[in-house]
Amino acid sequence: MQLQQYRPLIKFSFWLGANVMLEYSIEEAVVLLTKNLTTATVNADQLEDDLGYLSNQITTMEVNMARVYNWDFKRRKALAEKILSFIMLFICKYIIQIM
C-alpha cells in the first residue's frame, strides 16, 4: 500500500449555510476562529450571569406570589367569619322576636 502525497493546506473554507461558503488563508482562519472563540466565551459567561440573576428573580416572584395568596386567604377567611357572625346574630334576634 502506497501513501498518497497531499498538497499542503493553504486555504480553509467555512460553510456558512444557505449555499454560502467563504475561503480564508490558514492565518486568517486561525485569527477569525480565535476571535470567535473569545467572543463566544465572553458571551457564555455573561449569559451564565444573566441566568443566575433570572433564577433569583423567579424565586423572589414565587415568594411574593405565595405571600399575596396567603394574605388574600386570610382576608377572605376574616370576611367569611364576619358574614357568618352577622347571619348568626340576625338569626338569634329573629328567634328572640318570635318567642
Side-chain angles (χ1 to χ4, degrees):
M1 183 150 114
Q2 198 175 25
L3 292 176
Q4 292 182 353
Q5 294 287 330
Y6 291 102
R7 291 181 287 148
L9 187 62
I10 55 173
K11 298 217 180 219
F12 194 85
S13 299
F14 289 106
W15 176 259
L16 300 179
N19 293 328
V20 176
M21 183 175 280
L22 294 177
E23 189 172 271
Y24 291 94
S25 69
I26 296 298
E27 294 81 20
E28 289 175 326
V30 168
V31 169
L32 178 68
L33 289 175
T34 304
K35 180 181 143 200
N36 286 351
L37 178 62
T38 304
T39 303
T41 304
V42 169
N43 288 343
D45 292 342
Q46 182 62 42
L47 287 174
E48 193 172 320
D49 291 344
D50 290 348
L51 285 175
Y53 174 78
L54 286 175
S55 176
N56 189 16
Q57 292 302 306
I58 289 170
T59 301
T60 302
M61 183 190 64
E62 288 173 346
V63 168
N64 287 333
M65 285 175 57
R67 287 179 179 167
V68 169
Y69 176 81
N70 290 337
W71 170 82
D72 187 51
F73 180 81
K74 289 177 185 178
R75 184 184 63 84
R76 287 176 187 239
K77 184 177 178 184
L79 181 62
E81 288 173 356
K82 282 183 183 179
I83 291 172
L84 184 60
S85 66
F86 177 76
I87 292 172
M88 293 300 289
L89 181 64
F90 181 76
I91 290 173
C92 289
K93 284 184 180 181
Y94 182 74
I95 290 175
I96 291 172
Q97 286 179 354
I98 292 177
M99 295 170 100

